[in-house]
Amino acid sequence: MDEKLGRIRRQQAAAPGIMMAKKKISDKPSSTGEDRESVVIRFAGDSGDGMQLTGRQFSNTSAIAGNDISTLPDFPAEIRAPAGSIPGVSAYQIHFSSVDILTPGDEPEVLVAMNPAALKSNLHDLKPDGRVIVNTDAFTGANLKKANYEASPLDDGTLASFQVIAIPIATLNAKALEGIDLPRKEADRSKNLWALGLLYWLYDRPLEPTLRWLERKFAGNDILIEANRTALLAGYAYAEASEIFTTHFRVREALIAPGRYRKITGNEALVLGCVAAGILAKTQVIYASYPITPASEILHGLSTYRRLGVRTVQAEDEIAAMGMVVGAAFGGGLAVTGTSGPGLALKAEAINLAVMAELPCVIINVQRAGPSTGMPTKTEQGDLLQAVFGRNGESPVAVLAQSTPSDGFDVVLEAFRTAVRHMVPVIILSDGYLGNGAEPWKIPDIESLEPIDMFHPEGGGKPFHPYERAADTLARPWAIPGTAGLEHRIGGLEKEDVTGDVSYDPANHQRMTDLRREKLKKIADFYPPVEVDGDGEGDLLVLSWGSTFGAVRTAVGKCRGEGRSVSHVHLRHVHPFPNDLGEIIGRFGRVLIPELNGGQLLFLIRSAYLVGAEGLNKVEGRPFMVAEVASRIREMT
Amino acid sequence: MDEKLGRIRRQQAAAPGIMMAKKKISDKPSSTGEDRESVVIRFAGDSGDGMQLTGRQFSNTSAIAGNDISTLPDFPAEIRAPAGSIPGVSAYQIHFSSVDILTPGDEPEVLVAMNPAALKSNLHDLKPDGRVIVNTDAFTGANLKKANYEASPLDDGTLASFQVIAIPIATLNAKALEGIDLPRKEADRSKNLWALGLLYWLYDRPLEPTLRWLERKFAGNDILIEANRTALLAGYAYAEASEIFTTHFRVREALIAPGRYRKITGNEALVLGCVAAGILAKTQVIYASYPITPASEILHGLSTYRRLGVRTVQAEDEIAAMGMVVGAAFGGGLAVTGTSGPGLALKAEAINLAVMAELPCVIINVQRAGPSTGMPTKTEQGDLLQAVFGRNGESPVAVLAQSTPSDGFDVVLEAFRTAVRHMVPVIILSDGYLGNGAEPWKIPDIESLEPIDMFHPEGGGKPFHPYERAADTLARPWAIPGTAGLEHRIGGLEKEDVTGDVSYDPANHQRMTDLRREKLKKIADFYPPVEVDGDGEGDLLVLSWGSTFGAVRTAVGKCRGEGRSVSHVHLRHVHPFPNDLGEIIGRFGRVLIPELNGGQLLFLIRSAYLVGAEGLNKVEGRPFMVAEVASRIREMT
Amino acid sequence: MIDRSKNRATPTRKDFQSNQEVRWCPACGDYSILSQVQKIVPTLGIEKEKFVFVSGIGCSSRFPYYMNTYGFHTIHGRAPTIATGLKVANPDLSVWVITGDGDALSIGGNHLIHALRRNMDIKILLFNNRIYGLTKGQYSPTSEQGKKTKSTPAGSPDYPVHPVSLALAAEATFVARAIDTDTKHLAGVIERAARHRGSAFIEIFQNCNIFNDGAFDEFKARDVRDERVVRLEQGKPVRFGKEGGRGIRLRNCTLEAVSSGPGEEPPDCIVHDEKSRSFIAYMLARMEYPEFPVAIGVFRDLEKPTYGELLDEQGDFRIAGDTAEALRSLLHTGETWVVGNE
Amino acid sequence: MIDRSKNRATPTRKDFQSNQEVRWCPACGDYSILSQVQKIVPTLGIEKEKFVFVSGIGCSSRFPYYMNTYGFHTIHGRAPTIATGLKVANPDLSVWVITGDGDALSIGGNHLIHALRRNMDIKILLFNNRIYGLTKGQYSPTSEQGKKTKSTPAGSPDYPVHPVSLALAAEATFVARAIDTDTKHLAGVIERAARHRGSAFIEIFQNCNIFNDGAFDEFKARDVRDERVVRLEQGKPVRFGKEGGRGIRLRNCTLEAVSSGPGEEPPDCIVHDEKSRSFIAYMLARMEYPEFPVAIGVFRDLEKPTYGELLDEQGDFRIAGDTAEALRSLLHTGETWVVGNE
Ligand SMILES: Cc1ncc(C[n+]2csc(CCOP(=O)(O)OP(=O)(O)O)c2C)c(N)n1
Ligand SMILES: Cc1ncc(C[n+]2csc(CCOP(=O)(O)OP(=O)(O)O)c2C)c(N)n1
Ligand code: SF4
Ligand code: SF4
Ligand SMILES: [Mg+2]
Ligand SMILES: [Mg+2]
């Protein structure tokens, strides 16, 4: 540990008791350590086994230890399935590394399987020759049956190609906790910490962050603190003492930019971005939403920020939420709603009202696998065309895509700036993978965050024209109710140019339709130039958007490392496209568009640029593996 | 009249009284008649002036007289505007012809203007040198002001380039009705019939159909029959007697296919098609809908067909209507809903349920000008991309487009056949122009209408698999509740292939997504080959869909007549595209896509075939004029 | 909430008339309601620019265009949601919702209920003409069962909903009813709604002389209304008829109309109590002619903290003055760590 | 409507258990409701295949998967509309709606009201756990004001809606309430709903032991329930407590709980009348602990023609036998004319 302290200062000094504990364990000489650049591991168990918590602890600790990390939680479908069943399995994958990483990793090298169902549903992802750590206590006849195993996979050769580490974790944990006054059932619940301790030893992780966290989490309940701490240390000690592992591994700190960091999920980043937007605009943020997986955490998060000017409303449904957003925008607030696919469908009519009324607002869509209810806890990029086209009439809105968990912060700020600057609704596309996935985030320099300009006209002598536009943005003025002298009426009927009166005039309708379209195009004038990763021209351009960023960027990097002529453009601005995109596309021989859908960006690109781009499409409810993208690139170069 | 009787037999013999009346008028030798191939006229007046009724009478009479006709009603926006105001103007254009016609005509040669507002808002469409028949009684100071005329257009030269026929219609009508015991205000309401009589003389129309209609309409109220009849005859007599017209015109019967005809609007055709579908399928039709302009008449129409097996439900909103359709389809009925753009947006989520549950149903969208509430009484083709893409996830549905008013009958039958054959929702795109426009329709030969195959499996011994598919269509079986032995559960969550159980399996989701897409593609295997109007290859292909059929076909025909190399393909199947479409497009040098939107089919075609098609786009809330399309074709050839 | 402090000339009725031509059919009941609202709003001591009229879609929903203040003609059925968002963002405004029986009770029924139960401080005027006016004459949720309309040529099979019952069941704190042509009474009810703290709901019987003419004539016509309409007054016995010679009493848990002898008071009349949480209000609201007189006036007027007030209690809504400080507290709270030198 | 004619072995409870693994949390109140439904449905004399269970989205809405008959797990809030369409298309079916407090009262509130007012012959079971279970613990429209949940860390500002009040106000013809753990009573109420002609609505208090554990324990716990729950019985005085020693009476238009001396009957108790159109049912439904005992049982049971019956009255629903004849009557009616020879 000590050598790390130079580069990594922890916020709070470790509590003395914890240091002691650490010392005690370290009395025995540590087994040999082996350096690794990156490691991917996965915890899997029953929903009741606390795997999400275990995974989050491992990833927090790794982040604090200076690694770059990327995580992939994979929790069960909506319903709490029966204990021990396959639908009840919950898993958490962590990629931690001494170099910059962008994905949670393709294949874990260690799988911790707390029961047969967890083994069954996760084994196929394990690296050939990888380690399986199984909790043998859970491999009872009943549990095997629930997992549809005819015979125990521990005996029948199923695991022949892996390194099996079979440990009666529950038993050992119970023994360790014998002295603590806790019923067996309760004591059992800490077995995840026993497993965590084991893995901490294996990958040479510091114990302090988790010990500190236990103190906070169970503050006031000393018995639980004691029990969990004991479990963690027991697992750690077992690994060291039992010599089941011949070696342990070290993943050194990543050479990441200096600064203050925090771990952040995609949904958390969106939350922080929304709150920051309000502060930067010096106005209130109104977030109206109806709960839906995987967007609910944005509501949960924002509802804790009243003190920083956020008002959240849990609306009666998605339509109401969007109606409230339109009303709040009319009232001059920074109005935002969040939802997932089916909710976006429901919001369409009210979004269209914002289009016609030309009111600024932000709609966050954390996509999930569709169509219909689909697979609510699984990720997909299936709503791009819905976002662009899913409203009646010619209804232009801007669409931005979030690319990594932490990018949520930036994307929300940009969305608000765009909405307010052009008086348009802006849709942000995130997805379940980003929403739940986490990565370390360098907290931005506060001074670097520019204010959001909120311009509300004041009433003057001259008559007010609610549809008179600014030349550079084509935005109409945002005059807010309560301002004397600017009284006016708006609505969903076609508006007369300049005056905003209702108009059925044919030529006016054409003009207004053109203006709304033009206004949208103007947004692209405010984009920075498109960044090309790799050479500015070549054989293959890989074009992607949204959550596939990490896998695609990594794959392209790898292939370029192999000497292939391949570059990567990742689109933040999916509608309207950047002005320079067509020209860049034209500089490449072929274009590959990997997406987690049937080919939606592909569709837009083909139409916009008449280029025979090809798609790499996957609709499995889970993200791309780097290898999948890389192998397609290799086929094409 | 007599010479026509050989070819045109009227259903009911004319009542003797009417013949007498006709005789009386015809005592005086008729002024010279001049033959015309086609004529376009327009009635315009205040909403209270009965212009829709007048127009419908003129067009009915013309149809019965054997002309081909096409009409364009243009009524005021939703709200009854104040009498005499411009928003209160109601107009009706009729194109009647001795040859086959496909549009209501570009420019009327006669405009009947019942008041200044009607003149103001319709004059610009009148043919140069056309006739304006004005009701001078309405040109009072107050009315001029309401129409924003500073001076009377009758005096100030505004009408200099037209032939002005100024008649105090109200006064003359009141005089004619003097003997009838009716208050002046009531009597005044028949002045539209006076004007109609005038036009009947001018275009040598028979009076009987209208006289018969008056008898039916006012049955039981002899005074009103008398008043209206008198007004009609008075107008007719005035034209003949006053010699304000030096000549009258004859438009001979069109050489249309022999058979029994009726006049039909687009909405009526959809109604008849729905009822016929139920009869042909020998099952009940359930139409659930929420009123919305311009689709409400479908609900009104279908609600009169209970005796033929139709159940209509006026739902609480569009979402409910679509939910009812999904439920009715599950129950084994022919389920259909109708709406307009904003309603389609609201139905998206429930349509998606039908996609996932793979239930057959039909959604009729009578498009209107958008976005948002837009211009509810005006036409547009703005919802094509919404229909194709406006749902979350990969959600394939079939989209058909109605092309003429009477085509509604065929398009609904095809929609039901497709829905039932492939177990998919089918969207029909109509629009306000088609919905309200009328044309004569040759009633199809009853024997030629093929039954609609409804296959519902029976319970047998073997286990039932609700997602086991037919090879040729990929349809799943439509087992309906109440069938013993086929009990099963469906829903919006992803289904396991074959069994239909809920599944979160990644590979299964990919497979099911692919299957749904494949199934949609299979629909195209059942299309007839695409018909090319004109040569199969050449310089320019004009590609259109929906209600633009008439204008585009006419324009292409004209230009081909001028020796240009231009052909026309009109798409009924907008999603999925016909299998042979790409190949046909490839045989032309350029492609022009005229649409009443910002370029939506254009977008689909460019993407699908990577062809640099060009758009001719108009978003004015009204249909193309033939001249607009023709002039663009001329520019391109 | 409402800022009454500034020192400007009190607005007049004229000030609230916009320059838009009114586009309802001549003699439509909407005119009279518009006129009463324009009469009342200037008297409330609220600046003109603080008023916002939000409507859905329907004939009645054109209302905002005619008010010379802020207005939003939104989409069908959703006005309560837009009004809610507006009020949450900008609590100083006086927010009114104008809606029709289809707008509020068919497509918008759920939003109405939820706005009411939240006790949002918005005023909802429901123009009930028992028909869809704008779409030209389909039946509405308040149309009588069996009604023949364009969409129900054989008569509607639906039983009507009762707007006041629903509003009461939705826990509305102010619920009233008025009649378009009874203008003085209407004005009084509007004023009370305006001054109520919390959500206020008024059902206004409104004649649609084109598609449902005379729907309420049976009891509202001038010559019969004294015998067929009862006006509720707080703390007063529920009486009607010539010189109040008839009244309503409760017998065996049901209402009963009673008459007095000449010059006497009808016996045992219910004393109207707007503040009561009992459900007599339901029963009064559901009296229907000819069995009973139809009740108008305020059925319920309760004081409960509004949504906005409850939110305010939860913490300071205003944004801390110092941007940098606020951002720091936002971003640096929770578990963070430093790489290199900060 | 229901075809009871065919001659097959009566189904048993087992026949209604599907092969799907039940996926609710252990000890969730949903289990007990499922079990009571599976007990009652075989006793109704309706063939198994005639039952259809339609649900929205929520924990409770997985219910159809566990019933071995036809089922449709639809989308959030819309189950009443799907059930309506199904029943209109196929009136012979016994159609049930399974829904949660969020599903039925938040997003689906409007559809619920309209299905009820139409008196559609469908049975609606609302599993009220006063929380959003499936989305992991946000407050619902029935949650207490001030409730702290994931989405309201400082307490919810919304006043709850009262499902039975809403159902009564929506003109439902059958309205009842039951408790998940009071299984015999629950079964009885379900059976009565099943046998009711028209729409039937049951609110079932259901414990969510994960996100809102013990929400109803205050009055439903075994040791206190006799004192804190009153079971309504048709035609009987409203009494509760040990040996019925306490009762409910009406005083000055409000309810009041009274006690008797030992061995006596409590005085003046209201006699429960499910058939009454008065609004005592509202007041009984709204009794809340601790002021009052909580009432369970049937609040209202009225006979009115159903939507289907009214539609049937309007004409023959079946299709005329002869296709050609029907088509001719369809296409050749109205004004037609002949060109050439027909
Ligand atoms: C989403 C949507 N559905 C349907 C309509 C059509 N529509 C407009 S107003 C209206 C009903 C009007 O009735 P009501 O609310 O009673 O108002 P009124 O016209 O009687 O004042 C309907 C169905 C619409 N504009 N939007
Ligand atoms: C359109 C839509 N919005 C939101 C959701 C997310 N969602 C699913 S169930 C639910 C609420 C569940 O609560 P309740 O109806 O009370 O059922 P419970 O789980 O408590 O049984 C929500 C908000 C969804 N599936 N669809
Ligand atoms: S249609 Fe009826 S409600 Fe609408 S403006 Fe005319 S009279 Fe009034
Ligand atoms: S979350 Fe609650 S309601 Fe849902 S299954 Fe678990 S205990 Fe039941
Ligand atoms: Mg109305
Ligand atoms: Mg619930």
Side-chain angles (χ1 to χ4, degrees), chain A residues 349, chain B residues 78-79 290-293 296 314 317-318 339-344 346 368 373 376, chain C residues 24 30 56-61 75-78 99-107 127-136 138 140-142 206 208:
Chain A
E349 195 203 6
Chain B
E78 38 196 350
I79 297 283
Y290 188 67
I292 186 166
T293 305
S296 306
Q314 181 175 318
D317 64 16
E318 285 85 353
T339 190
S340 187
L344 187 63
L346 287 167
R368 63 190 213 185
T373 312
Chain C
W24 288 310
D30 291 353
I57 300 283
C59 292
S60 35
S61 288
I75 47 179
H76 197 32
R78 320 300 175 186
T99 181
D101 42 329
D103 195 57
L105 298 170
S106 197
I107 191 168
F127 293 29
N128 183 6
N129 54 12
R130 296 194 178 157
I131 200 81
Y132 285 4
L134 186 61
T135 48
K136 304 191 175 151
Q138 301 83 12
S140 92
T142 55
Q206 171 245 325
C208 167

Side-chain angles (χ1 to χ4, degrees), chain B residues 21-67:
Chain B
K22 176 77 182 9
K23 279 271 145 57
K24 222 173 80 206
I25 288 175
S26 304
D27 272 355
K28 225 178 134 181
S30 161
S31 48
T32 48
E34 190 183 313
D35 272 335
R36 300 285 295 277
E37 186 184 87
S38 296
V39 170
V40 180
I41 64 170
R42 186 186 293 178
F43 294 95
D46 194 64
S47 320
D49 286 343
M51 292 295 99
Q52 298 301 316
L53 187 154
T54 311
R56 273 199 300 271
Q57 278 307 308
F58 196 103
S59 59
N60 285 357
T61 295
S62 300
I64 293 172
N67 294 141

Side-chain angles (χ1 to χ4, degrees), chain B residues 456-466 477 479-489, chain D residues 6 8 15-16 47-51 68-70:
Chain B
H456 302 299
E458 283 297 317
K462 49 179 186 156
F464 175 61
H465 291 138
I480 56 177
T483 316
L486 301 186
E487 290 86 348
H488 67 282
R489 274 76 46 196
Chain D
K6 294 203 201 131
R8 279 191 276 146
D15 290 324
F16 281 95
E47 286 94 340
K48 186 163 75 95
E49 68 274 12
K50 293 270 166 83
F51 285 97
N68 187 19
T69 175
Y70 287 92

Side-chain angles (χ1 to χ4, degrees), chain D residues 278-297:
Chain D
S278 92
F279 280 74
I280 297 294
Y282 272 89
M283 303 177 68
L284 291 173
R286 295 181 69 97
M287 295 192 302
E288 272 178 27
Y289 182 79
E291 214 194 331
F292 286 105
V294 173
I296 62 174

